[in-house]
């Protein structure tokens, strides 16, 4: 195997408690999934570290003007742009995502900063005249948004080590809040890089602490601490539901798992549909909440669609994540890859046809196409968070909608058709947070509302604009007018 890393010194990270670097003897090792080499260690925070982070946050009242916040976020964006290559390499090292994916991710992070900076300048207060009914008055009611009284707890998953974090941190800065962030212990490095960039861009350090540790030791304190007003969590359903029960009387924004379909109707442009299917399924090694995890294809076009999909899958270059030509790197670790292999083997044993892939070497799992999959098989009933393309055939639009709605999830979806009657039905009848016509389910702007329903979330959205709303309290005041 290519051990590009032998000359790379191991990073010894520290916690960032309000900007102060704090080391601990107990550490978590971070391994490069492609070779298994340890590339960094991060401290295991103690409970006292966690409590101190919240104490500092409680004792600090942000005073940044809108312009100050704009400048900090724009400056952070400039620093990130100037260190694009280095930050992309950090993401690849901690996650095994290929450089194409990690470079794309850094670009997205810059977009988040740009949108948050601009949104910080916008006062979205509303004005209501009060003489609207016969018992009205000559007054006006005004709204204004204030930062939360307490601190925000943010907890993020491994799959986009920088972008998941920045979608919480940037709106927090833009709204003058204080945040204590715990990134995934699997990919904790980008969060520390981001914190340092924000401090360098003049963010008052009391507004952001980053801690790492064993969630079994520190997570409950982060969820129940008296100074926490809001918990914003992105991750799997099981932990999301645990948080929903544990963080009692805290505002909760939960962005959980997905099992998004691409639906290909009989009139679809099959070349376009297969292109969307392959990129939606394999980008980021299939580890996106909005990755295409089920392909529902009209029986009359399924054979041709599968041929095209297999050809595109074969053409994909997977392997060494550091090779700039690689299209897909590893998944997060060997345990995840073994699990995909098992669930695919189970489907094959139950009658699905393997058309390509299902090859594993360590954490490297090939893109994999399965045809003739039954909607009840585990590979499609539950979220498979990896590069697997299971094709399910259907005969009518009613079947397509029923199968699409037939899992516990409701995040996003993709529909390939040009028929307006189909389009309107899918938009109305799919029980999901987003419907993208002739686009992958993951398509969005970093600004636009994003999030799911059912087991995918409680319907409170992320995206810069919605996150800024959820991170604020609306106050009304009224004046005689
Ligand atoms: P995960 O749920 O295993 O972990 C997420 C975070 O929760 C990590 O930081 C982890 O340390 C922390 N955690 C672990 N135990 C905890 C506890 N008891 N209390 C509080 N926090 C705890 O998820 P993952 O494997 O890192 O990420 C993959 C999942 O995330 C997938 O299901 C994916 O669909 C989902 N996801 C959802 C979105 C979305 O926006 N809806 C986006 C990306 C990923």
């Amino acid at each position: 195997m290519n051990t590009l890393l032998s000359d790379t010194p191991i990073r010894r990270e520290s916690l960032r408690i309000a900007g102060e670097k704090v080391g601990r003897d107990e550490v978590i090792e971070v391994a490069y999934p492609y070779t298994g080499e340890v590339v960094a260690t991060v401290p295991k925070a103690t409970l006292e570290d966690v409590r101190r982070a919240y104490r500092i946050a409680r004792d600090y009242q942000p005073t940044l003007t809108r312009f100050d916040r704009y400048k900090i976020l724009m400056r952070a964006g400039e620093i990130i742009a100037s260190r694009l290559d280095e930050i992309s390499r950090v993401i690849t090292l901690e996650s095994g995502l290929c450089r194409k994916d990690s470079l794309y991710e850094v670009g997205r992070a810059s977009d988040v900063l740009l949108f948050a900076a601009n949104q910080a300048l916008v006062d979205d207060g509303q004005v209501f005249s009060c003489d609207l009914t016969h018992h009205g008055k000559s007054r006006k009611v005004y709204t204004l948004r204030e930062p939360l009284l307490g601190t925000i707890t943010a907890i993020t998953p491994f799959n986009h080590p920088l972008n998941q974090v920045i979608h919480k941190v940037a709106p927090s800065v833009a709204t003058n809040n204080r945040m204590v962030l715990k990134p995934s212990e699997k990919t904790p490095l980008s969060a520390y890089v981001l914190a340092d960039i924000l401090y360098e861009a003049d963010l008052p350090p009391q507004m952001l602490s980053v801690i790492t540790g064993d969630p079994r030791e520190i997570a409950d304190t982060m969820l129940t601490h008296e100074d926490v007003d809001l918990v914003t969590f992105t991750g799997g359903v099981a932990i999301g539901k645990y948080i929903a029960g544990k963080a009692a009387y805290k505002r909760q924004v939960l962005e959980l798992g997905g099992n998004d379909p691409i639906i290909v109707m009989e009139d679809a442009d099959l070349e376009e549909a297969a292109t969307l299917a392959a990129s939606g399924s394999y980008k980021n090694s299939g580890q996106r909440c909005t990755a295409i995890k089920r392909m529902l294809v009209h029986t009359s076009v399924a054979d041709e669609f599968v041929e095209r999909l297999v050809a595109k899958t074969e053409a994909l270059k997977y392997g060494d994540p550091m090779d700039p030509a690689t299209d897909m790197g590893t998944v997060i670790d060997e345990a995840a890859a073994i699990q995909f292999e098992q669930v695919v083997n189970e489907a094959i044993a139950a009658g699905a046809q393997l058309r390509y892939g299902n090859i594993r070497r360590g954490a490297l799992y090939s893109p994999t196409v399965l045809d003739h999959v039954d909607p009840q098989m585990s590979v499609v009933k539950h979220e498979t968070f990896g590069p697997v393309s299971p094709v399910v055939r259907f005969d009518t639009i009613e079947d397509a909608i029923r199968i699409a709605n037939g899992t516990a999830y409701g995040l996003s979806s993709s529909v390939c058709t040009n028929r307006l009657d189909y389009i309107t039905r899918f938009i109305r009848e799919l029980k999901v947070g987003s419907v993208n016509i002739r686009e992958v389910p993951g398509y969005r702007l970093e600004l636009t509302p994003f999030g799911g329903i059912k087991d995918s979330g409680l319907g409170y959205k992320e995206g810069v604009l919605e996150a800024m709303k959820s991170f604020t309290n609306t106050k009304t005041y009224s004046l005689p007018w």
Side-chain angles (χ1 to χ4, degrees), residues 104-112 160 163 167 288 444 446:
Y104 176 68
E105 175 159 349
V106 183
R108 287 185 66 188
S110 299
D111 284 0
V112 175
H160 283 299
N163 200 46
H167 260 289
R288 302 178 79 181
R444 60 190 284 207
E446 312 302 331

Side-chain angles (χ1 to χ4, degrees), residues 155-160 164 182-186 213 215-216 219-220 223 233-237 239-240 242-243 255-258 288-290 293 383 385 411 450-452 456 462:
I155 301 178
T156 53
F158 72 77
N159 68 315
H160 283 299
Q164 296 294 357
K182 191 199 78 56
S184 168
E185 60 279 12
K186 293 177 184 164
R216 287 165 303 187
D220 280 2
L223 301 176
F233 170 81
T234 302
V237 176
I239 294 172
Y242 173 79
I243 291 173
E255 304 297 341
L256 310 182
R288 302 178 79 181
C289 51
T290 51
K293 297 180 184 124
E383 178 184 41
F385 207 57
L411 190 55
F450 169 79
S456 298
E462 269 204 347

Side-chain angles (χ1 to χ4, degrees), residues 141-197:
V141 174
Y142 301 78
T143 69
L144 65 87
R145 287 184 182 275
E146 295 180 328
L148 302 180
L149 297 177
T151 302
I152 298 174
T153 288
I155 301 178
T156 53
F158 72 77
N159 68 315
H160 283 299
L162 180 63
N163 200 46
Q164 296 294 357
V165 165
I166 212 161
H167 260 289
K168 301 193 185 306
V169 173
S172 175
V173 173
T175 49
N176 246 343
N177 273 290
R178 291 143 296 155
M179 174 172 276
V180 177
L181 162 75
K182 191 199 78 56
S184 168
E185 60 279 12
K186 293 177 184 164
T187 55
L189 305 179
S190 302
Y192 284 127
V193 171
L194 175 65
D196 289 345
I197 288 172

